Amino acid sequence: MENQSGTNVLVEPTNPRDMRGKVKLSKAELVNSLVNIVGVHRVIHEPDYLRVYECDGYVARNGLPSAVVFPETTQEVAEIVRLLAKHQVPFLPRGAGTGLSGGATPLNGEVILNFARMNKLISVDLDNLRAVVQPGYINLTLSKEIDKDGFFYAPDPSSQSSSTIGGNVAENSGGAHCLKYGVTTNHVVAATVVLPTGEIAHIGTPFGDAVGYDLMGLFVGAEGTLGIVTEITVRIMKKPEAVKTVQAMYDSIAQASDTVSDIIRAGILPAAIEFMDKLAIQAVEKSSYHVGYPEDIEAILIIEVDGLTAGLEETTDKILDICRRHEVRTVKMATNANERALWWGNRKMAFGAMGQISPDYLVQDGSVPRTRLTEALARIQAMSRDAGLRIANVFHAGDGNLHPLILYDSANPEETERAIQTASKILKVCADLGGTITGEHGVGLEKLEEMRYVFNKTELEAQLALRKVFDPQNLCNAGKLIPLP
Amino acid sequence: MQSNLSVDLDEVAKILSETLGDNRVTKEHFNGLETAEMGDAGFHRYDVVRVRIETEDQVAEVLKAASAYQWRVLPVGAGSQLHATHLGAGVDILLDLTSLNQIIDYSPEDMVVSVQAGVTLTNLQELLSTHKQMLPLDPVCRPGATLGGLIATAANGPRRTGYGTFRDVVAGVRVVYPSGDIMNFGGRVMKNVAGYDMTKLFIGSFGTLAVIVEAHLKLKPLPLHRETVTMQGRREDLKILQKRLVHSSLLPTRLEAVSSRVFQNGILSRSQIHHPWLLAIDCDENASAAAYQTSQLRTWADEMGLSIDVFQGVSADDLWTHYQESLLGFDFVLRLNIAPTLLWQIVTPLEKILGEAEGEGVFSLGMTTGVGRLYGKGLSFKVQEELVQQARGLVSEYAGSVVIEKAEPWLQEKVDVFGSIGDFQPWLQRIKDAIDPQNILSPGRFVGGMKNA
Ligand SMILES: Cc1cc2nc3c(=O)[nH]c(=O)nc-3n(C[C@H](O)[C@H](O)[C@H](O)COP(=O)(O)OP(=O)(O)OC[C@H]3O[C@@H](n4cnc5c(N)ncnc54)[C@H](O)[C@@H]3O)c2cc1C
C-alpha cells in the first residue's frame, strides 16, 4: 500500500502526444520553481517533514508528497497550479487533514497545496447575512467570531474545531444540526476557484441564483478534484432565541430508532437527533468527556429543538411524550447551558474516544432512509457477530446518516482485512436499503470500489467526463472520488 | 433564428411513429413561443413534431433517434416556463412530458417523494397535504406547471426565505442523456455525498443538458398554524424594519417587501392601503411562537408608527394565493439578484421609469434573500428595454445580476436574457459539449455563450 517513491500509481498514463513540448521537472527543479513563487519558507520538501502529510484522518493508505507548498493568495495558488499543469506534476489541496476517506492523501507523489496560511476571515456582512472566508479558515472560528452579534454558521461537523471551511466545501460536510439547517452545500453561495489548468473563475453568486449551470453546487462535494477553492462566501444565520436539549435513554435499540421516525412523523423538525449505542457510550464514558451514563443502557438519543422561546415548550412536551410511548427508561431536559455542553461534548468526542476501548477503528458513513434505521442497525449487529468484531454506533439519526465504528487491531493484518471487508458489507446493506455509501465523509480513496454499489458504468463514465471538462490532464487529486469504470 | 430547414418533419414524424406508435406523434403548428424574425417586425412561426411521452424509455428512444439524425429536441411540460428564455435556434421535436405524470413513491415517514417530470405542482401539493406535508416552494406559476419544468428553470418564490430553492429540496434525479442513456444521480436519502452532485447541474439547466424524467424531493411538515403580518410604512421605515428583522430571532419563512397594490382588491381594501410598500412577514411556527412573533412586530409597528394587519390560518393562505394569482397576470418579469440592503437602491430609479411610462409595474423584494422581482404589464417595448438596461447598469457596480424571467420573444432577441456572464462562461459551454456534444437538446436556450453552439 505504501508508495513512498512518489511514482504514479493512480494517474492514468498520459497520452505521449500531450507530453510534447512539456519538460518533466526534476525534484530539485520543481522545488526551486515553487520557491520562486512563494519563497523558501513556504515550501517543504525534506522527506522527514513530508511524512506529516502522507495521509489524512483515514490512515489505512499513505504516500509521500513531492513537496508541500503554503500559498497566501489566490494569485499564488494560480501561479503554482499553472506551473504544475505545465509540467504535468500531480497536485492536491489540503485543509486540516481531518478528512476520513483519504481525500487529501497523496498516492501519486503530488505537490500538496496546504491552506494553513490562507486562514483569514475576509469580511462579514451581518445585515446581508454573508461572510467571506479563505479556505483555510477553521469552521468553528467563524461561529465564534460572529457569536457576539448573535449569529452563527450552521454546518457543524464534529471536527469543526479543527477542520477548514475549504475542506468542508470539498466534502460537503454535514453535522449534528444539519437535520434542520442543511449541510455545507446549502450554506455556500459563491467561491473563487483556481481550476486545474491554473485559470481563475468566480462561481456562484452571493445573492439569488447564479446565471448558468450551478457550478457552485457541483464544486461542493467534489473533493478537490475539479479545482481549488481559494475564497468562499457563506450564508450566516441568526442564532435561535432558545434551545432545548432532551436526553433519552433506552433499553432497546429498536425503540430508540423508532422514536426518531415518530418525532419526524409528528411534523416536528428538531435541530438535531443524535444516537449512541451501548458500545459507543461505554467508550466515551471512559474518556474525559464522560456524562455518567449507566453502563447497561442500550441506546441514547440526544434530541435538540430550537426557535422562539414561546413555542418551544409545546414542542418539547410532544417529544417527551413520543419518547415515553417508546418505553424510554429515562428522559430529561438539559437544565442549563453547561449540562447541554457536556452532553454535546460527549457526543462530539465519540470517535476519538474509541481509542479507550480499541487500538484502532474504522468509521463508516452510510446513509439510509430514516424508516430503515432499525433494520440497518439490526443488520450491522448481525455482521458484527459474524465477523467477530465489535461495532459501535454513534450517528446523525434524524437524517438517517449512520456512523458504524468498526473496532480492530491494525497489528493483526488478518483482522484489519476483516474490518475492511465488514465495512464494505455495511455499505452494501445501506445501498440495498435504498440508501447510499456516504452521507458526509466522502468517497476519497476509501470507498472507490463501493461507488459501484450505487452507480452503474454509464453513470460513472458521465461523472468522469465532467471531471475531464475541468481537469483535462487528470492532475488535480487524481484517482479520488470516482473509480475508473 | 429559423427552423431547421434541412430537417423534413414528415420524415421525423414517420420515423418516430414507427418506434412509438401513431397516436403519440403529431405534426403541429408551433405558435406557443413565437420568435421574432428580425427586430420587432413580426413573428416567425414554424412547424414541429410533438411527441407525447408516457414512459422514460420513450424519451430514450426519441433522443437516440434525434442524436442519430441531428434533430433538435425541446422537452416541455405544461409550457408554463417557456417564456423564461428564448429559443435562438428552431426545434424539430417538442418532447411533451405532461403524461409522464406518476407519483412513483411517496414515503411520508421519510418525508421524501419521487415524482415523474410531468406531475403538476398543484397535484403534488394536494396529495402531500393529505399527509400534512408539503413541498416548501411557492414559485409564481400556472396551476398546470409541472415539476420537470419548474426544476429545469429553478423556479422559486417568497418561501425561499425560510426553505431555500429547488437546489435545497431535490435530493436526486433520474435523467435521460442525449445519448439515450438513463441515469440516476443522488437518491432518496437526506444526505448523500457519493460522487459529484450532478443533480445540481440539471436544476436550472433549462433542458439543455438532459431530460429530467424523475425527481426525488425532500418534504417539510405542512405548517399547522399559518400567520402572516403585513406592515405598511414609508420606505425609510421599512428599511429600518428590514434591519431589525435580520438582527432579531424572529423566524419569517417569507419576508417580502411588496408593492401594496398587489394586495388591493381582495386582501386589503383601498382604505386599508396607506403606503405604496408593505412588508409581508410570514411565520410557519406553532401558534404560540407565531403569536409571539406577531406581538413583537406590533411593538415595532407602534414604536415606528407603522400600520399593521394580521392574517391567520386560511386568511393567511388567501393572502399568498392572491399574491400568486395577481402576479401571474403580469407579462414581463425581471429578477434582480443583489445584496438585500441594496435592493431599495436599485428599485428607486426603476420606479421612476415606471412612473413616467404607460402601463403598470409592481415589485416583490426578498428582504433577506436579495432576490427582487419587477412585474410589468402593458409596458411598451421601449420601456421594458430601458428597465433592463437601467437595472443592469445599477447592479453591475455591486456584482449583482438581472435576469429576464418573462418577456415577449422580441425583447429576448434584443437584450440578452441573462446579461453578462462571469469568467466561468467557457466552462458552461464545455459542460454542454461534454453532455450534449451534438447540441440536440434545447438548442440556443441558454446563457449567451451557448446561443450559437
Ligand atoms: C473526529 C472527527 C469528526 C468528524 N466529524 C465529521 C462530521 O460530523 N461531519 C462531517 O461531514 N465530517 C466529519 N469529519 C470529517 C472531516 O472533518 C471533514 O470531511 C472536513 O470537512 C475535512 O476538512 P479538512 O479541512 O480537514 O480537509 P482535508 O481533510 O484536509 O481535505 C478534505 C478534502 O478536501 C479537499 N480540499 C481541502 N481544501 C480544499 C480547497 N481549498 N479547495 C478544494 N478542495 C480542498 C482535499 O483535497 C480533500 O479531498 C470528522 C473528522 C474527524 C477526524
Side-chain angles (χ1 to χ4, degrees):
Chain A
M1 263 182 249
E2 299 238 328
N3 175 40
Q4 312 227 329
S5 61
T7 47
N8 289 12
V9 295
L10 278 169
V11 176
E12 273 184 287
T14 42
N15 183 339
R17 268 188 308 153
D18 294 341
M19 284 302 288
R20 235 184 278 153
K22 304 203 172 166
V23 193
K24 216 44 180 166
L25 288 184
S26 71
K27 167 109 187 226
E29 287 168 331
L30 173 65
V31 169
N32 273 339
S33 312
L34 291 171
V35 167
N36 279 342
I37 300 172
V38 296
V40 67
H41 299 300
R42 290 198 269 131
V43 180
I44 294 180
H45 57 89
E46 304 85 350
D48 279 354
Y49 293 106
L50 291 178
R51 223 166 285 287
V52 178
Y53 300 95
E54 64 185 10
C55 67
D56 60 7
Y58 170 69
V59 295
R61 301 183 69 181
N62 54 37
L64 267 200
S66 319
V68 180
V69 54
F70 296 78
E72 284 182 354
T73 64
T74 299
Q75 291 307 332
E76 280 184 1
V77 173
E79 232 177 295
I80 294 164
V81 171
R82 276 200 300 272
L83 167 83
L84 300 174
K86 183 170 163 206
H87 299 285
Q88 297 198 317
V89 180
F91 55 92
L92 63 81
R94 179 183 171 108
T98 68
L100 291 171
S101 52
T105 300
L107 286 191
N108 306 302
E110 278 91 347
V111 168
I112 292 183
L113 287 94
N114 186 318
F115 287 97
R117 295 180 75 105
M118 283 180 78
N119 60 351
K120 315 260 170 334
L121 173 62
I122 295 173
S123 62
V124 178
D125 181 352
L126 297 178
D127 289 351
N128 289 305
L129 301 169
R130 295 293 182 269
V132 182
V133 303
Q134 288 189 318
Y137 192 63
I138 304 294
N139 174 306
L140 189 61
T141 327
L142 177 55
S143 284
K144 280 191 176 154
E145 185 68 32
I146 55 183
D147 180 79
K148 60 181 183 306
D149 300 299
F151 290 82
F152 75 116
Y153 173 61
D156 63 337
S158 300
S159 59
Q160 70 183 141
S161 57
S162 51
S163 66
T164 66
I165 295 188
N168 296 167
V169 168
E171 301 287 359
N172 190 12
S173 297
H177 293 79
C178 294
L179 174 57
K180 176 169 182 178
Y181 294 108
V183 293
T184 301
T185 195
N186 309 108
H187 295 272
V188 170
V189 294
T192 305
V193 294
V194 173
L195 297 163
T197 45
E199 290 151 293
I200 298 172
H202 299 81
I203 61 175
T205 173
F207 303 99
D209 308 298
V211 168
Y213 303 132
D214 185 359
L215 298 183
M216 190 67 252
L218 192 63
F219 263 71
V220 177
E223 300 190 3
T225 65
L226 300 182
I228 296 172
V229 179
T230 59
E231 194 172 302
I232 304 153
T233 307
V234 300
R235 212 153 62 88
I236 53 178
M237 302 180 79
K238 184 71 189 168
K239 278 167 66 182
E241 186 181 59
V243 179
K244 287 204 184 296
T245 313
V246 173
Q247 177 205 80
M249 303 189 210
Y250 291 85
D251 294 311
S252 136
I253 287 185
Q255 291 289 6
S257 68
D258 289 346
T259 300
V260 177
S261 298
D262 266 7
I263 289 173
I264 305 289
R265 193 177 295 135
I268 300 168
L269 186 57
I273 309 183
E274 297 286 301
F275 183 115
M276 284 199 276
D277 73 1
K278 192 174 194 165
L279 197 50
I281 299 165
Q282 284 173 358
V284 224
E285 282 302 306
K286 290 205 171 99
S287 77
S288 49
Y289 289 87
H290 56 91
V291 170
Y293 293 131
E295 271 189 16
D296 59 338
I297 285 294
E298 287 297 330
I300 282 178
L301 291 180
I302 304 288
I303 306 160
E304 190 156 280
V305 289
D306 62 20
L308 294 169
T309 314
L312 272 195
E313 202 171 307
E314 202 176 311
T315 311
T316 44
D317 282 351
K318 272 194 203 163
I319 290 174
L320 296 177
D321 214 50
I322 294 170
C323 292
R324 288 187 190 113
R325 264 188 271 139
H326 286 282
E327 298 170 15
V328 68
R329 187 195 291 187
T330 53
V331 57
K332 62 173 181 180
M333 276 188 340
T335 45
N336 55 49
N338 286 343
E339 195 170 19
R340 174 181 178 241
L342 178 67
W343 294 355
W344 275 115
N346 175 285
R347 159 61 188 91
K348 293 206 172 185
M349 291 305 149
F351 288 6
M354 291 304 136
Q356 305 285 340
I357 58 168
S358 170
D360 298 284
Y361 69 93
L362 244 174
V363 54
Q364 274 310 339
D365 177 41
S367 146
V368 296
R370 238 167 343 230
T371 47
R372 313 301 291 271
L373 270 180
T374 313
E375 194 179 342
L377 289 170
R379 289 177 69 174
I380 290 174
Q381 236 175 5
M383 281 184 273
S384 158
R385 267 194 311 271
D386 291 351
L389 292 169
R390 292 177 299 162
I391 302 182
N393 285 288
V394 39
F395 61 97
H396 314 304
D399 31 37
N401 189 185
L402 295 159
H403 287 329
L405 298 147
I406 303 163
L407 310 185
Y408 72 105
D409 182 355
S410 62
N412 177 345
E414 184 278 326
E415 190 169 301
T416 306
E417 189 49 34
R418 216 174 339 133
I420 293 173
Q421 293 303 328
T422 307
S424 181
K425 280 186 199 153
I426 291 176
L427 297 188
K428 182 80 173 67
V429 166
C430 293
D432 291 347
L433 289 174
T436 191
I437 58 167
T438 170
E440 58 179 23
H441 294 170
V443 174
L445 289 167
E446 186 199 22
K447 305 179 194 78
L448 278 172
E449 279 313 305
E450 285 75 14
M451 282 286 277
R452 301 182 207 281
Y453 296 159
V454 284
F455 292 110
N456 64 28
K457 187 165 169 284
T458 334
E459 290 157 351
L460 292 174
E461 276 164 358
Q463 296 182 67
L464 289 172
L466 195 77
R467 180 186 205 139
K468 204 164 177 188
V469 163
F470 292 93
D471 185 11
Q473 299 196 97
N474 199 28
L475 293 175
C476 186
N477 217 359
K480 312 281 171 65
L481 186 59
I482 317 287
L484 297 177
Chain B
M1 312 299 147
Q2 67 283 60
S3 61
N4 192 350
L5 296 176
S6 60
V7 171
D8 176 355
L9 291 184
D10 291 321
E11 186 66 18
V12 174
K14 189 167 151 260
I15 294 173
L16 290 177
S17 302
E18 274 162 17
T19 21
L20 305 173
D22 284 343
N23 54 340
R24 320 219 147 273
V25 183
T26 47
K27 203 173 126 184
E28 66 181 51
H29 193 60
F30 186 30
N31 54 11
L33 21 88
E34 311 87 296
T35 306
E37 203 167 14
M38 207 97 23
D40 346 339
F43 292 114
H44 179 92
R45 295 159 194 223
Y46 51 84
D47 290 338
V48 289
V49 172
R50 179 184 288 265
V51 188
R52 257 173 296 277
I53 291 299
E54 248 171 38
T55 67
E56 61 182 29
D57 289 336
Q58 291 167 352
V59 176
E61 287 300 327
V62 174
L63 294 186
K64 272 185 215 155
S67 292
Y69 296 104
Q70 305 266 317
W71 300 331
R72 294 170 299 180
V73 182
L74 177 70
V76 291
S80 72
Q81 300 296 312
L82 287 181
H83 48 65
T85 67
H86 76 153
L87 288 158
V91 295
D92 308 308
I93 298 171
L94 286 189
L95 200 63
D96 180 340
L97 299 163
T98 46
S99 302
L100 196 66
N101 59 1
Q102 302 302 304
I103 307 253
I104 302 286
D105 191 351
Y106 175 28
S107 166
E109 288 80 10
D110 290 316
M111 299 191 75
V112 180
V113 68
S114 300
V115 299
Q116 286 190 319
V119 171
T120 69
L121 181 58
T122 319
N123 286 351
L124 177 64
Q125 298 287 32
E126 212 164 282
L127 167 75
L128 300 176
S129 70
T130 61
H131 292 269
K132 299 202 169 63
Q133 294 183 347
M134 65 172 179
L135 184 71
L137 303 176
D138 58 351
V140 171
C141 62
R142 271 193 261 154
T146 63
L147 282 150
L150 294 168
I151 294 170
T153 53
N156 60 78
R159 270 206 161 122
R160 70 183 291 162
T161 306
Y163 296 101
T165 59
F166 271 111
R167 79 193 291 285
D168 303 296
V169 309
V170 181
V173 287
R174 193 167 164 82
V175 293
V176 186
Y177 262 42
S179 57
D181 288 314
I182 300 175
M183 304 198 214
N184 282 305
F185 296 112
R188 285 171 57 82
V189 279
M190 293 301 106
K191 282 162 76 180
N192 189 347
V193 295
Y196 293 120
D197 193 351
M198 300 286 283
T199 304
K200 296 274 190 304
L201 264 189
F202 305 107
I203 302 170
S205 67
F206 286 87
T208 57
L209 294 178
V211 177
I212 301 169
V213 288
E214 196 179 315
H216 313 298
L217 306 167
K218 299 184 195 176
L219 307 173
K220 285 277 144 76
L222 194 69
L224 297 180
H225 176 87
R226 282 95 57 216
E227 191 152 323
T228 300
V229 170
T230 60
M231 293 169 84
Q232 294 177 51
R234 292 177 312 128
R235 178 184 314 232
E236 289 314 308
D237 290 331
L238 295 190
K239 263 198 226 174
I240 295 169
L241 191 56
Q242 174 186 13
K243 185 160 177 169
R244 281 186 127 166
L245 276 157
V246 168
H247 287 262
S248 78
S249 308
L250 299 188
L251 296 169
T253 44
R254 298 186 256 216
L255 176 50
E256 295 278 311
V258 189
S259 306
S260 305
R261 221 164 350 132
V262 170
F263 295 109
Q264 194 176 313
N265 305 327
I267 301 298
L268 297 171
S269 70
R270 193 175 284 266
S271 65
Q272 282 174 299
I273 292 185
H274 313 291
H275 292 277
W277 286 92
L278 59 74
L279 284 198
I281 307 151
D282 212 21
C283 189
D284 283 351
E285 301 292 302
N286 61 26
S288 338
Y292 169 76
Q293 175 154 319
T294 300
S295 76
Q296 177 65 69
L297 293 172
R298 262 189 213 289
T299 310
W300 289 342
D302 291 347
E303 275 172 32
M304 299 170 68
L306 308 176
S307 73
I308 179 167
D309 293 282
V310 181
F311 303 83
Q312 288 176 331
V314 178
S315 78
D317 295 343
D318 288 348
L319 179 139
W320 291 106
T321 307
H322 180 92
Y323 172 93
Q324 290 270 327
E325 284 170 357
S326 67
L327 294 180
L328 200 52
F330 288 80
D331 55 15
F332 172 69
V333 183
L334 280 191
R335 185 180 79 234
L336 319 169
N337 300 299
I338 193 156
T341 49
L342 292 172
L343 273 168
W344 297 102
Q345 212 165 306
I346 308 299
V347 157
T348 309
L350 303 184
E351 279 179 303
K352 193 159 169 287
I353 298 177
L354 288 165
E356 290 160 7
E358 284 211 16
E360 191 189 349
V362 294
F363 293 90
S364 185
L365 314 176
M367 293 281 90
T368 55
T369 60
V371 173
R373 287 188 175 85
L374 157 62
Y375 294 84
K377 185 154 59 180
L379 302 171
S380 74
F381 292 164
K382 202 172 137 277
V383 170
Q384 292 182 15
E385 197 180 341
E386 196 185 339
L387 287 165
V388 178
Q389 307 292 19
Q390 174 86 358
R392 288 208 170 130
L394 291 163
V395 302
S396 63
E397 266 179 64
Y398 307 103
S401 61
V402 176
V403 172
I404 303 175
E405 286 196 338
K406 188 172 177 182
E408 292 290 321
W410 78 268
L411 183 71
Q412 307 188 11
E413 292 288 322
K414 273 189 97 168
V415 188
D416 196 284
V417 170
F418 295 96
S420 69
I421 298 148
D423 47 14
F424 53 84
Q425 181 170 345
W427 284 273
L428 301 184
Q429 183 67 59
R430 284 171 207 156
I431 290 173
K432 168 77 174 166
D433 293 344
I435 297 182
D436 183 14
Q438 305 196 62
N439 193 29
I440 62 162
L441 270 175
S442 312
R445 214 187 166 214
F446 211 34
V447 293
M450 290 210 263
K451 246 181 205 165
N452 305 313

